[in-house]
């Protein structure tokens, strides 16, 4: 897909308890290939950068949860996370789908419509009704 940006910059937010998760999680994710980590201690979060063809946010989140980390579960964070999961899944799905063009040429739709339109004197109205006054 032309113009599709596969480089993603996301933020993984951690819950308040247990404290000290950010540096440990940063070390853990740093071991993965093709992921750049930027710890944000004051925000209890990790900035992560990755290519969508290598990783997804869902995969990174699930990796952390499997390791025992507690992600933030406030409503806003959960909604944002769900939206990002959906967008990334859709983007990956569309990468595998062939691009479908709706028309073979810019004028084809008009040509087909013109061919269906009656031309010349194709008026079915009787001549006496056309001149009715």
């Amino acid at each position: 897909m032309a113009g599709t940006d596969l480089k993603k910059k996301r933020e993984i937010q951690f819950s308040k308890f247990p404290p000290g998760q950010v540096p440990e999680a940063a070390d853990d994710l740093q071991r993965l290939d093709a992921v750049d980590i930027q710890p944000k201690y004051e925000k209890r979060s990790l900035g992560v950068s990755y290519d969508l063809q290598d990783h997804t946010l869902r995969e990174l989140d699930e990796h952390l949860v499997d390791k025992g980390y507690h992600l933030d579960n406030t409503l806003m964070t959960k909604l944002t996370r769900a939206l990002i999961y959906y967008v990334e899944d859709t983007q990956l799905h569309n990468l595998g789908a062939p691009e479908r063009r709706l028309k073979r040429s810019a004028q084809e739709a008009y040509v087909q419509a013109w061919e269906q339109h009656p031309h010349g004197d194709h008026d079915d109205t009787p001549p006496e009704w056309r001149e009715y006054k």
Side-chain angles (χ1 to χ4, degrees), residues 3-4 14 23 27 30 33 43 54-55 64 68 70 73 86-87 89 93 97-98 103-104 107-109 122-123 129 131:
T4 302
F14 293 90
D27 289 342
Q30 201 71 47
D33 290 336
K43 293 174 73 177
D54 297 324
H55 299 285
L64 291 170
H70 298 275
N73 277 324
Y86 172 76
V87 167
D89 288 347
H93 172 76
K103 297 177 271 187
R104 287 186 286 270
Q107 297 175 342
E108 184 175 350
H122 289 272
D123 191 357
W129 285 15
E131 298 170 10

Side-chain angles (χ1 to χ4, degrees), residues 8-131:
K8 303 297 177 187
K9 286 187 175 190
R10 307 288 189 208
E11 199 165 299
I12 299 175
Q13 186 78 33
F14 293 90
S15 64
K16 290 181 183 178
F17 299 103
Q21 296 186 90
V22 174
E24 294 173 14
D27 289 342
D28 199 332
L29 286 181
Q30 201 71 47
R31 294 186 190 112
L32 297 177
D33 290 336
V35 180
D36 293 324
I37 308 298
Q38 303 86 31
K40 300 177 180 181
Y41 302 108
E42 67 286 347
K43 293 174 73 177
R44 287 189 335 273
S45 67
L46 285 178
V48 291
S49 301
Y50 54 91
D51 190 296
L52 196 55
Q53 292 174 317
D54 297 324
H55 299 285
T56 63
L57 183 62
R58 181 190 312 265
E59 174 195 329
L60 297 175
D61 285 349
E62 288 174 356
H63 172 81
L64 291 170
V65 169
D66 287 347
K67 296 281 186 171
Y69 296 101
H70 298 275
L71 302 182
D72 183 36
N73 277 324
T74 59
L75 180 60
M76 189 61 178
T77 303
K78 286 171 30 174
L79 287 172
T80 303
R81 193 180 298 139
L83 178 64
I84 291 171
Y85 290 174
Y86 172 76
V87 167
E88 289 183 355
D89 288 347
T90 302
Q91 217 172 349
L92 283 172
H93 172 76
N94 289 342
L95 282 174
E99 186 173 338
R100 292 187 312 141
R101 291 174 39 190
L102 298 177
K103 297 177 271 187
R104 287 186 286 270
S105 73
Q107 297 175 342
E108 184 175 350
Y110 299 108
V111 170
Q112 289 178 355
W114 181 255
E115 289 172 352
Q116 301 299 322
H117 184 68
H119 302 293
D121 191 15
H122 289 272
D123 191 357
D124 292 333
T125 308
E128 60 274 9
W129 285 15
R130 288 186 215 157
E131 298 170 10

